[in-house]
Amino acid sequence: MDVVLPCLDEVSALPWVLGRLPAGFRALVVDNGSSDGSAELARGLGATVVHQPVRGFGAACHAGLTAATADVVCFCDCDATLDPRQLPRVVAPLLAGEADLVLGRRRPVGWRAWPPPARLANLELARRVRRRTGLRLSDLGPMRAARRSGLLALGMRDRRSGYPLETVLRAAEAGWRVRETDVDYRPRTGRSKVTGTVRGSLEAVRDMTVLLNGFGAAGREGVR
């Protein structure tokens, strides 16, 4: 299985993240223009490095997806907020044939793990997704897993912060079974680029609102 790790100046988090990758999972670190030596460090730690000079979380995610070769592709943030050792629990419903897309539902480990602006933005977006698609989601978690061929067929177009949301919306539109499973959420290592700031959270909400407005309601099977 391949694990796409979007990376922008994460040199302080990479050793912890890559060191906790379970056996059978290959790291694809997508360097999105780092200036701190992240790409070189990742390569030295045994990861496959993909370069995506076009800035944007979605651009990095999609570059990793197209570079992946495994049947199952996972996505995980590269800032040490998510523990790669928990990837098997995210992949399990997919491998058991119980889901087509599995999202890691974040459970904060300590009060500093999830800044209030990001948490509020996530709750509001999850509410809008439930209303628009019928999926009973409580989180748009960045740790997720699906089959590569299916993800490519969805045809995601967003290359900014709306990419994770677009994946869920297109999956709902295609009638995919979407499931959630709990994962730990830790305080990040290093400086937050988006969700730890009011400005970044507002920009993410704006990007995702544009996507939501472009999709019609579709009553789909809910998340258990």
Side-chain angles (χ1 to χ4, degrees):
M1 285 168 276
D2 285 338
V3 183
V4 176
L5 295 156
C7 177
L8 176 59
D9 294 332
E10 301 291 3
V11 71
S12 57
L14 276 167
W16 187 89
V17 172
L18 296 178
R20 296 178 72 83
L21 209 65
F25 290 81
R26 179 177 71 130
L28 293 177
V29 174
V30 184
D31 185 66
N32 203 202
S34 298
S35 59
D36 66 349
S38 287
E40 293 77 10
L41 176 61
R43 191 176 292 108
L45 292 171
T48 298
V49 175
V50 178
H51 291 281
Q52 172 51 281
V54 178
R55 285 289 181 92
F57 183 76
C61 286
H62 203 72
L65 174 61
T66 55
T69 57
D71 176 44
V72 172
V73 177
C74 307
F75 295 83
C76 181
D77 283 354
C78 202
D79 57 6
T81 55
L82 298 163
D83 188 347
R85 287 189 181 178
Q86 297 181 345
L87 281 168
R89 76 172 63 167
V90 176
V91 170
L94 183 71
L95 298 182
E98 300 169 355
D100 304 302
L101 173 64
V102 185
L103 308 178
R105 180 172 47 214
R106 290 170 286 184
R107 293 295 185 241
V109 178
W111 65 272
R112 294 191 304 111
W114 206 343
R119 188 182 297 210
L120 290 173
N122 182 74
L123 287 172
E124 173 60 17
L125 287 167
R127 183 189 68 80
R128 294 185 190 182
V129 169
R130 288 196 300 271
R131 185 177 63 187
R132 191 60 61 95
T133 68
L135 293 172
R136 294 193 298 273
L137 293 174
S138 59
D139 189 11
L140 298 176
M143 182 180 278
R144 47 186 59 195
R147 299 198 180 274
R148 179 179 183 272
S149 58
L151 287 170
L152 289 171
L154 291 179
M156 276 79 71
R157 299 176 183 174
D158 188 274
R159 296 296 182 264
R160 288 164 53 92
S161 24
Y163 190 90
L165 172 61
E166 184 183 12
T167 303
V168 172
L169 292 173
R170 291 190 179 276
E173 192 175 53
W176 282 22
R177 296 165 299 165
V178 183
R179 298 289 183 267
E180 290 183 318
T181 188
D182 288 350
V183 296
D184 294 339
Y185 196 53
R186 302 158 34 88
R188 66 161 289 128
T189 298
R191 181 180 62 86
S192 176
K193 288 100 178 163
V194 179
T195 56
T197 67
V198 173
R199 178 181 177 183
S201 295
L202 290 175
E203 288 178 353
V205 170
R206 181 193 62 198
D207 289 347
M208 296 182 191
T209 297
V210 170
L211 285 169
L212 279 167
N213 290 340
F215 280 78
R220 304 295 184 188
E221 180 186 3
V223 173
R224 289 197 294 267

